[in-house]
Each structure stands twice: as structure tokens, then as C-alpha cells.
């Protein structure tokens, strides 16, 4: 396995739910949680009742800095359907240790405790790190259950071979925490854009009215920042041109902060056409204001006795069109944030702005619209329409980047 020292930052912004089932190897789970956090992950923990006989929730809470989920029918948490929200929150669930019992219940589709219910309700990948006596491991029922999980694309980490707590020697030892952390990194690791330069716009723009007021929109920038993270993880040199947000710049991403549409256009043209490094992919996910005030007051506009105020507006430059209209334009990906006729409007944008792809989403839905952590999109090209169901924006971004990388390979 790889040296843990070389994995720093590999899991930045990843949301990982560590599930712990009953077994003596549960003591290793504490180290796994710490390793994942060291690698940048946001970690939550869910424990079966049997797991709590080997390690306490308080220990895991202290290490993760988050409450530990132990009960399916916790009145306080379930008032907001807590277990469902936690399942939606995760980018990955990894059960370590995964006992023979939990493996059996997963294979049967059980949902009778917090951990199995989270697994049933998940929208993310699931991985197990088996840990049990070597005789239990070789039992045909266990092997049948593992085969069932494999058919459902559940990842398996280990087990290792060696001495066991019972004194037996053989397969069934849970892999060491550092090895498991490396396995987790591998699930997220993609280098499909190695050597490419990607320029991404994100967030809103602010168009000044006077020194204290401006026109803007509800964009949080979360989708654009997630795309930048996914592009960087795919190996691309990633330039993020961002309007005002409260988000931290993803690791290995160069962020250029702008405020207005004019500033964003200038930064985009510099990075796409005037930089020493040619741009291969341009992703326009920013919510750029369509109009700005014709005149910006030099002093704060004072309230008057008039009931109305007229504000004369002028159209902002079309950043996407300014880049796409050139013969030497990069691969062009636009976003269509719509509230009605989503597919039709997005297809129209694809043709009108000479884009290669359009990513459309319905921002009228509050669970996937502006400021939400989740999204559901449709990727549209001239030849295909691909639905990406509701997931976290981090997962959606990874899917989009994978699609773009494949499209780029086919086109060129």
C-alpha cells in the first residue's frame, strides 16, 4: 500500500460515514477515523449496539468532533428524519470492522438498526472491511453473502491473514487503518484529466448600485467549487474564477476572486486566451448577473419621499459567448439553471451559444437549488441526454468531470 505521508489532502471535502459493527477489531476504528480526518475528510460515525460493547461512542465523538449515531429510533434525531439525512450526506460509507453478522444482514437487505438502515438509504458507494474468525470467514454462508454484496457493487477491503484474537491464524484480520485509508483514497482517485488545464467560473457576480448596495443572486458557488475540486483530483491544472462566496478554495486549485461580470470576463479571457498555458476545458457554472446599472452612484443613494425609484440597467457581457465564438475556443461546458421548461431551455442554450455540453438543473426545487448541498442535473450534448439523479454536489461534480473527460477523449 502507499505511504500515508503521500496521501495528504486526498480526501479534502469528502464526507465519509464510518460504520462500526461488533468485533474486537473495533478498536482499530478509532485510528481509521483519525486517519481519514488527517487526510481532509469530514467524518461521521454510526455504531451498532454490539460495537458499543467494544468501543464507546464517546471515544468516536471525541475523535470525529461530531455526534455518533447509535439508535435508529432516537426521538430527537428522527424528528427531522435524521438517519435519512445522514445517508444523503455521505459521499462514502465504509463499515470497519464488518462482522459476519453485518455482512449477512446487508446481503439480505436488512434495515433493523441504524447502520443497516443508513446503508439501505444511501445514495453513495458502500465499502466493507471484513473482520472475523478465520473459520467464520471460510464458512460457505459468509462467502455466499460476500458474493451477493459484490453483485451489488459493494467494495471489499481485505481481510488480511495473520494471528487472531482467538489464537487462530488465517484470513479474517481487519486491514490496518493506514491501509484502509489508502483504499478509501483509491475509490475517489481519478486522473482522467492529467496534463489538462481547466478554467471554471463559480458563484454569483455583484453589480454595484452605489458604494453600499448591489444587485446579485442566490448562487452559493458550491457547484463550481465542487467541480474545481473534482477537476483537480482528476489531475487537471485547475483555475477557479469565483464571484463572492464564503467557501474555502479546494486544495491544488488556483482561485482568482472577482466581483462583477466585467471582472469575471477579463479574468476568463486572460486565463483562456492570454495565458502561457492553453486552456483545454472551460466550465461556466457561475451565475452571472444578466444586467448591471448604467450608472454607479459615487455616494450612497439616500431615501427620498418618492414611493418608487427607477434604476436604468444595461446588459452585461456574455462571458460564455465571448469565449465560444472564437475558432480556437476550448471544450465549452455551460450551465442552465432553470425554473421551468428545463430541458427545452438548456437545449436552446446549447445551440445558441455553440457549446459542447450543457448541464441543466431545476433551481426551483429547494432541495437541489441554490445554497443546497445536493443537486440533480441533466447533461446535454447535441447527440445525447444523460440524467444524473440527486446526489451531493461533490458526487455530481465527480460525475460531470468523468463525463467531460470521456467526451474530450472521444472528440479529440
Amino acid at each position: 500500500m502507499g505511504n500515508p505521508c503521500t496521501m495528504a489532502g486526498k480526501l479534502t471535502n469528502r464526507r465519509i460515514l464510518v460504520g462500526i459493527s461488533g468485533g474486537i477489531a473495533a478498536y482499530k476504528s478509532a485510528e481509521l477515523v483519525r486517519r481519514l480526518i488527517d487526510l481532509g475528510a469530514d467524518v461521521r460515525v454510526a455504531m451498532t449496539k454490539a460495537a458499543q460493547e467494544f468501543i464507546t461512542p464517546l471515544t468516536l465523538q471525541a475523535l470525529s468532533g461530531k455526534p455518533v449515531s447509535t439508535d435508529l429510533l432516537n426521538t430527537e434525531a428522527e424528528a427531522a428524519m435524521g438517519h435519512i439525512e445522514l445517508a444523503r450526506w455521505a459521499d462514502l460509507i465504509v463499515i470497519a470492522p464488518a462482522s459476519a453478522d453485518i455482512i449477512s444482514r446487508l446481503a439480505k437487505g436488512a434495515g433493523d438498526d441504524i447502520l443497516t438502515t443508513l446503508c439501505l438509504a444511501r445514495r453513495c458507494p458502500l465499502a466493507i472491511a471484513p473482520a472475523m474468525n478465520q473459520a467464520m470467514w471460510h464458512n460457505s454462508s459468509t462467502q455466499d453473502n460476500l458474493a451477493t454484496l459484490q453483485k451489488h457493487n459493494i467494495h471489499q477491503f481485505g481481510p488480511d491473514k495473520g494471528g487472531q484474537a482467538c489464537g487462530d491464524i488465517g484470513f479474517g484480520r481487519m486491514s490496518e487503518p493506514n491501509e484502509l485509508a489508502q483504499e478509501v483514497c483509491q475509490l475517489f482517485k481519478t486522473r482522467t484529466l492529467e496534463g489538462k488545464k481547466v478554467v471554471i467560473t463559480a458563484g454569483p457576480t455583484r453589480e454595484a448600485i452605489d458604494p453600499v448596495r448591489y444587485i446579485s443572486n442566490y448562487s452559493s458557488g458550491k457547484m463550481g467549487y465542487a467541480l474545481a475540486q473534482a477537476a483537480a483530483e482528476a489531475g487537471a491544472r485547475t483555475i477557479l474564477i469565483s464571484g463572492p462566496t464564503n467557501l474555502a478554495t479546494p486544495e491544488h486549485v488556483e482561485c482568482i476572486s472577482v466581483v462583477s461580470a466585467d471582472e469575471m470576463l477579463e479574468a476568463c479571457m486572460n486565463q483562456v486566451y492570454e495565458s502561457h498555458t492553453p486552456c483545454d476545458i472551460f466550465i461556466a457554472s457561475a451565475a452571472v448577473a444578466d444586467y448591471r446599472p448604467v450608472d454607479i452612484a459615487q455616494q450612497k443613494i439616500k431615501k427620498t419621499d418618492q414611493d418608487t425609484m427607477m434604476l436604468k440597467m444595461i446588459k452585461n457581457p456574455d462571458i460564455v459567448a465571448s469565449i465560444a465564438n472564437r475558432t480556437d475556443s476550448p471544450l465549452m461546458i455551460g450551465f442552465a439553471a432553470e425554473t421551468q421548461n428545463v430541458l427545452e431551455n438548456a437545449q436552446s442554450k446549447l445551440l445558441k451559444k455553440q457549446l459542447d455540453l450543457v448541464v441543466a438543473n431545476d433551481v426551483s426545487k429547494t432541495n437541489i437549488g441554490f445554497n443546497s448541498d445536493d443537486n440533480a442535473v441533466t447533461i446535454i450534448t447535441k447527440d445525447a441526454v444523460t440524467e444524473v439523479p440527486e446526489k451531493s454536489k461533490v458526487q455530481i461534480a465527480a460525475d460531470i468531470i468523468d463525463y467531460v473527460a470521456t467526451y474530450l477523449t472521444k472528440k479529440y
Side-chain angles (χ1 to χ4, degrees):
M1 306 305 292
N3 184 342
C5 295
T6 67
M7 299 189 291
K10 290 287 188 180
L11 299 177
T12 299
N13 296 330
R14 298 297 191 184
R15 298 181 291 190
I16 300 175
L17 176 62
V18 175
I20 306 175
S21 64
I24 189 62
Y27 77 91
K28 294 182 180 180
S29 303
E31 179 62 19
L32 174 62
V33 168
R34 191 171 72 172
R35 286 296 302 129
L36 295 175
I37 292 173
D38 287 345
L39 292 170
D42 186 3
V43 179
R44 300 287 296 269
V45 177
M47 304 176 69
T48 66
K49 289 185 177 180
Q52 296 170 59
E53 298 295 325
F54 294 91
I55 186 170
T56 67
L58 183 60
T59 299
L60 279 307
Q61 179 174 317
L63 289 169
S64 67
K66 303 288 177 59
V68 174
S69 298
T70 56
D71 297 309
L72 177 60
L73 301 178
N74 181 295
T75 305
E76 183 177 341
E78 295 312 309
M81 295 300 289
H83 67 283
I84 298 297
E85 291 304 316
L86 188 55
R88 290 174 177 169
W89 170 87
D91 296 319
L92 171 71
I93 299 176
V94 54
I95 302 178
S99 64
D101 177 66
I102 198 76
I103 290 171
S104 173
R105 291 194 288 132
L106 289 172
K108 293 180 175 64
D112 54 359
D113 66 2
I114 184 65
L115 186 51
T116 52
T117 301
L118 287 169
C119 291
L120 282 179
R122 79 187 193 281
R123 296 172 178 169
C124 64
L126 169 62
I128 60 170
M132 66 197 73
N133 168 268
Q134 58 86 24
M136 297 172 70
W137 170 254
H138 289 294
N139 188 283
S140 60
S141 294
T142 300
Q143 294 302 312
D144 288 345
N145 290 332
L146 289 166
T148 298
L149 297 185
Q150 187 175 22
K151 289 178 183 178
H152 291 286
N153 298 314
I154 293 173
H155 304 277
Q156 181 180 315
F157 302 156
D160 293 339
K161 183 179 181 180
Q164 300 180 329
C166 61
D168 286 355
I169 297 175
F171 282 102
R173 283 174 57 90
M174 188 175 93
S175 298
E176 295 303 313
N178 283 338
E179 294 179 354
L180 293 176
Q182 173 72 359
E183 295 276 13
V184 169
C185 288
Q186 291 298 324
L187 287 184
F188 291 111
K189 182 180 178 181
T190 56
R191 308 297 290 180
T192 53
L193 294 180
E194 191 76 52
K196 304 297 184 182
K197 178 181 175 181
V198 180
V199 177
I200 301 172
T201 66
T205 63
R206 291 178 180 174
E207 311 301 331
I209 298 172
D210 63 19
V212 298
R213 301 182 181 92
Y214 56 82
I215 295 169
S216 191
N217 56 62
Y218 291 114
S219 175
S220 65
K222 290 179 180 178
M223 191 71 248
Y225 277 63
L227 284 165
Q229 175 188 322
E233 290 172 353
R237 180 194 171 198
T238 306
I239 312 296
L240 177 65
I241 301 174
S242 175
T245 74
N246 295 316
L247 303 174
T249 302
E251 192 169 2
H252 307 304
V253 172
E254 178 184 342
C255 185
I256 300 172
S257 296
V258 299
V259 176
S260 68
D262 280 335
E263 291 176 1
M264 184 170 284
L265 174 62
E266 181 181 4
C268 288
M269 296 301 285
N270 285 339
Q271 288 298 322
V272 174
Y273 292 119
E274 298 176 25
S275 170
H276 294 300
T277 307
C279 174
D280 300 287
I281 301 168
F282 181 78
I283 304 177
S285 69
V288 182
D290 293 322
Y291 293 86
R292 70 181 187 275
V294 172
D295 298 309
I296 302 173
Q298 297 303 305
Q299 304 295 330
K300 177 183 175 182
I301 300 172
K302 304 298 290 184
K303 184 167 64 175
T304 68
D305 293 333
Q306 299 294 323
D307 291 333
T308 60
M309 183 183 78
M310 300 297 293
L311 193 63
K312 190 175 182 180
M313 308 285 283
I314 187 172
K315 187 178 288 187
N316 264 326
D318 189 324
I319 296 174
V320 174
S322 298
I323 296 173
N325 286 343
R326 292 180 44 155
T327 56
D328 56 347
S329 64
L331 187 76
M332 296 292 300
I333 296 97
F335 269 68
E338 305 289 346
T339 58
Q340 60 181 346
N341 302 323
V342 176
L343 188 60
E344 294 84 351
N345 289 336
Q347 289 172 325
S348 175
K349 185 172 186 176
L350 178 79
L351 298 175
K352 182 179 179 180
K353 296 198 175 184
Q354 303 179 58
L355 302 174
D356 295 284
L357 294 85
V358 165
V359 180
N361 66 309
D362 187 346
V363 294
S364 69
K365 299 179 179 180
T366 56
N367 60 313
I368 58 172
F370 290 132
N371 289 300
S372 171
D373 289 330
D374 297 329
N375 208 348
V377 302
T378 304
I379 303 175
I380 302 166
T381 68
K382 293 177 182 178
D383 303 315
V385 175
T386 304
E387 300 283 347
V388 183
E390 184 177 344
K391 306 177 185 179
S392 74
K393 286 182 176 176
V394 171
Q395 292 174 281
I396 290 282
D399 288 346
I400 292 172
I401 292 299
D402 284 345
Y403 190 101
V404 168
T406 301
Y407 185 92
L408 186 68
T409 300
K410 291 179 178 178
K411 183 174 181 178
Y412 299 103

